[in-house]
Amino acid sequence: TVMLNDFNVVDIPSFRGRATDGPLVFDKYSAILLRYRNMDQNSEMYDHNGAKTFIFGHSESYGDIIPRKKFNNPDDPTNYHPEWFDQASIQMCLTSPSLIDEVVRRTIEELQNNTVARYVNISQNDGAGFCECATCSDETERYTRSGNVIRFQNKVIERVEAWRMENQPDRELIYNMFAYSDTANAPVFLNENGDYEALDPSIIPHEKLAIRLTRGGCLLHRIDDPNCTDNAKFYENFKGYR
């Protein structure tokens, strides 16, 4: 028997939730998943989980929304859109108007089919290989790769939200994107006051866009520990995106 003082400590993290890889994924019945605000699709028994509440799954989703086998197949001229992939080895062309049209159409279709979901996951594929067409290259140079992705997300969300307001006005949705690898760095700069500022108003995330910032570095210290150099870069990106 261990006797403890009567105390009540409550801490509310400044983020909506988190997903995990590694041992926690397999220990899906552990109460720690709730404490972590886990949003992993393997955690079916909990309220916040990908299996029930995520559209397009919980992880990388570009390939599920716009599958290359369907849209980059010359034997299927009806759906053939090589321009969506020609300049991208892994990702897709995020500035193509016709691709954005298809992403919007697919998202609305999924919202009609799944009336339970609260999260719309539109996240980059795993790995590098973003589009290098003239328009995407220009956006990346002006706004960074992260800005290029956020501008794409904003365009999709604005159109899907317009549809939702007309057809499902009582439904509350959160859209989310990965920020990792090429997009881990926030598209910001330090202004003269030492505060982070967006490179351009167009790359400020839509109010319903949640940034899922992937964490590397040290797991033994909190992310803002001033004595942990391994977490320093992640924390700067955390502040930049915030």
Side-chain angles (χ1 to χ4, degrees):
T1 301
V2 177
M3 305 303 295
L4 299 174
N5 290 327
D6 184 15
F7 66 93
N8 181 18
V9 178
V10 177
D11 178 64
I12 302 177
S14 60
F15 48 84
R16 187 174 296 272
R18 60 180 131 184
T20 55
D21 287 326
L24 284 177
V25 172
F26 302 102
D27 187 16
K28 66 179 182 180
Y29 298 106
S30 172
I32 198 172
L33 291 179
L34 289 179
R35 296 177 58 227
Y36 268 48
R37 296 189 177 185
N38 191 71
M39 300 189 298
D40 193 278
Q41 60 213 36
N42 295 317
S43 310
E44 292 91 345
M45 66 180 293
Y46 298 124
D47 183 36
H48 291 76
N49 66 81
K52 295 176 182 176
T53 61
F54 272 77
I55 282 178
F56 301 131
H58 148 268
S59 193
E60 302 88 353
S61 65
Y62 281 5
D64 295 323
I65 304 170
I66 306 292
R68 282 177 179 257
K69 289 183 179 181
K70 176 179 179 179
F71 292 106
N72 201 25
N73 180 7
D75 296 328
D76 183 10
T78 302
N79 296 308
Y80 189 41
H81 287 279
E83 72 277 10
W84 294 353
F85 309 102
D86 279 354
Q87 301 295 322
S89 60
I90 295 177
Q91 313 295 338
M92 57 191 185
C93 181
L94 302 182
T95 60
S96 167
S98 58
L99 180 136
I100 294 173
D101 289 344
E102 181 63 19
V103 173
V104 170
R105 188 198 69 80
R106 285 275 291 120
T107 303
I108 292 173
E109 180 182 64
E110 288 299 308
L111 288 173
Q112 291 172 318
N113 294 334
N114 182 344
T115 59
V116 178
R118 299 193 300 272
Y119 302 100
V120 180
N121 175 43
I122 305 177
S123 292
Q124 66 197 60
N125 296 329
D126 202 7
F130 279 86
C131 182
E132 297 181 359
C133 74
T135 308
C136 284
S137 296
D138 178 65
E139 283 205 2
T140 300
E141 183 177 355
R142 295 172 62 187
Y143 310 118
T144 76
R145 178 63 69 195
S146 304
N148 169 238
V149 173
I150 291 173
R151 283 168 56 87
F152 159 74
Q153 299 281 353
N154 287 346
K155 293 173 185 176
V156 172
I157 295 171
E158 287 171 2
R159 292 175 57 181
V160 174
E161 278 295 291
W163 174 88
R164 182 197 62 78
M165 287 295 294
E166 182 176 347
N167 297 274
Q168 300 178 347
D170 297 328
R171 188 170 188 175
E172 189 64 34
L173 295 173
I174 292 293
Y175 303 79
N176 65 78
M177 59 167 276
F178 277 166
Y180 83 124
S181 184
D182 287 42
T183 57
N185 295 328
V188 296
F189 67 95
L190 283 172
N191 62 26
E192 58 185 11
N193 297 321
D195 299 321
Y196 283 115
E197 188 175 328
L199 291 173
D200 185 85
S202 68
I203 57 87
I204 296 175
H206 189 282
E207 63 181 2
K208 290 198 170 185
L209 176 57
I211 306 295
R212 299 176 66 194
L213 181 58
T214 302
R215 179 185 180 186
C218 173
L219 299 178
L220 299 179
H221 301 98
R222 69 179 197 266
I223 63 172
D224 61 344
D225 188 334
N227 299 313
C228 182
T229 56
D230 288 342
N231 285 334
K233 180 61 176 175
F234 172 85
Y235 187 52
E236 288 306 309
N237 282 326
F238 182 89
K239 291 191 294 184
Y241 272 112
R242 182 178 62 187

